[in-house]
Amino acid sequence: SAVISQKPSRDICQRGTSLTIQCQVDSQVTMMFWYRQQPGQSLTLIATANQGSEATYESGFVIDKFPISRPNLTFSTLTVSNMSPEDSSIYLCSVEDPHTSINEKLFFGSGTQLSVL
Amino acid sequence: GQQVMQIPQYQHVQEGEDFTTYCNSSTTLSNIQWYKQRPGGHPVFLIQLVKSGEVKKQKRLTFQFGEAKKNSSLHITATQTTDVGTYFCAGLAAGGTSYGKLTFGQGTILTVHP
């Protein structure tokens, strides 16, 4: 298994500001993933973060709004920029299990519950 | 793009009753996974199904993967209050090469009344 530390666990932010979410993994992993889970909704992939290259964003998500850093194989950050109330959501980082042959088995961080006023 | 539909959205049961959630994909899947998210928690991996017609059991949970690899189900026998949470299916499209490109269903929120 993989242990993922994600912080902050929650935050309340003002409109127009930015928040950076950090994700630390206890094992080296090739890819880290950032998901958004809006209230009562499913999980939507925002982007995939590879070490040493730009993140790959899914349709509907852009780098200017959700810049991502991946400085090494155990750490990543997601910034939610110029926030609006529509950004209120839970943001989750995840990684594939580095110790199993089950492809795409994901471990999730505990999530960041963001509220934008 | 690929869509994964999951029903029902909500299910309320009395403790001891059975529960089933169904997942249907618009495209053939390479594999399907199931996750459980407890209230206030994060999704936790339960199982992965890969083979056509596969059936796997975990104690009171039975997972099935359809013959056409486009649908799946999770059945819980004799629910307990500890089963409360949201159950998500997540499918990887056949031929997909991108890691992490799981498409999640909308989830089924299960409440169990003691």
Side-chain angles (χ1 to χ4, degrees):
Chain A
S1 65
V3 177
I4 304 174
S5 299
Q6 184 176 341
K7 58 182 181 181
S9 59
R10 62 179 63 233
D11 207 342
I12 300 173
C13 300
Q14 295 296 321
R15 182 195 300 258
T17 63
S18 297
L19 175 71
T20 295
I21 303 167
Q22 299 181 5
C23 188
Q24 179 76 51
V25 189
D26 69 341
S27 304
Q28 292 187 340
V29 292
T30 304
M31 286 175 280
M32 295 177 72
F33 312 104
W34 289 97
Y35 282 85
R36 182 173 72 183
Q37 185 176 25
Q38 294 180 305
Q41 301 294 314
S42 186
L43 289 84
T44 302
L45 181 63
I46 298 172
T48 302
N50 295 320
Q51 192 261 339
S53 64
E54 272 200 2
T56 303
Y57 289 83
E58 297 300 307
S59 176
F61 299 97
V62 295
I63 188 171
D64 290 346
K65 176 66 175 177
F66 298 101
I68 287 172
S69 77
R70 183 80 201 275
N72 57 54
L73 292 174
T74 63
F75 186 79
S76 179
T77 68
L78 169 77
T79 299
V80 186
S81 303
N82 189 24
M83 288 183 284
S84 67
E86 291 72 34
D87 295 319
S88 297
S89 188
I90 297 173
Y91 293 85
L92 296 146
C93 68
S94 73
V95 302
E96 290 187 333
D97 187 343
H99 305 301
T100 182
S101 59
I102 297 177
N103 293 331
E104 297 91 29
K105 173 185 177 182
L106 297 179
F107 281 97
F108 287 88
S110 53
T112 297
Q113 185 165 346
L114 171 62
S115 299
V116 184
L117 304 178
Chain B
Q2 181 191 12
Q3 292 187 340
V4 176
M5 307 298 293
Q6 192 174 349
I7 58 170
Q9 186 175 2
Y10 302 96
Q11 187 74 60
H12 311 282
V13 299
Q14 288 293 130
E15 190 171 21
E17 292 182 340
D18 292 355
F19 159 76
T20 305
T21 174
Y22 300 91
C23 193
N24 286 285
S25 171
S26 59
T27 60
T28 302
L29 299 172
S30 172
N31 68 65
I32 194 159
Q33 301 179 15
W34 286 90
Y35 291 80
K36 177 183 179 181
Q37 185 175 25
R38 293 182 185 275
H42 57 276
V44 175
F45 176 87
L46 293 177
I47 208 160
Q48 182 190 59
L49 303 170
V50 179
K51 299 177 183 177
S52 169
E54 189 170 15
V55 178
K56 288 188 176 180
K57 292 190 176 185
Q58 290 179 350
K59 297 183 180 178
R60 293 178 295 105
L61 278 62
T62 302
F63 304 85
Q64 293 187 331
F65 200 10
E67 293 291 338
K69 299 184 74 172
K70 295 182 71 174
N71 57 73
S72 181
S73 66
L74 159 59
H75 179 81
I76 302 178
T77 303
T79 54
Q80 300 175 359
T81 54
T82 53
D83 295 325
V84 164
T86 303
Y87 292 85
F88 291 100
C89 62
L92 180 70
T97 57
S98 299
Y99 285 106
K101 281 295 192 74
L102 290 171
T103 301
F104 281 80
Q106 300 94 321
T108 296
I109 300 172
L110 173 64
T111 56
V112 179
H113 301 286

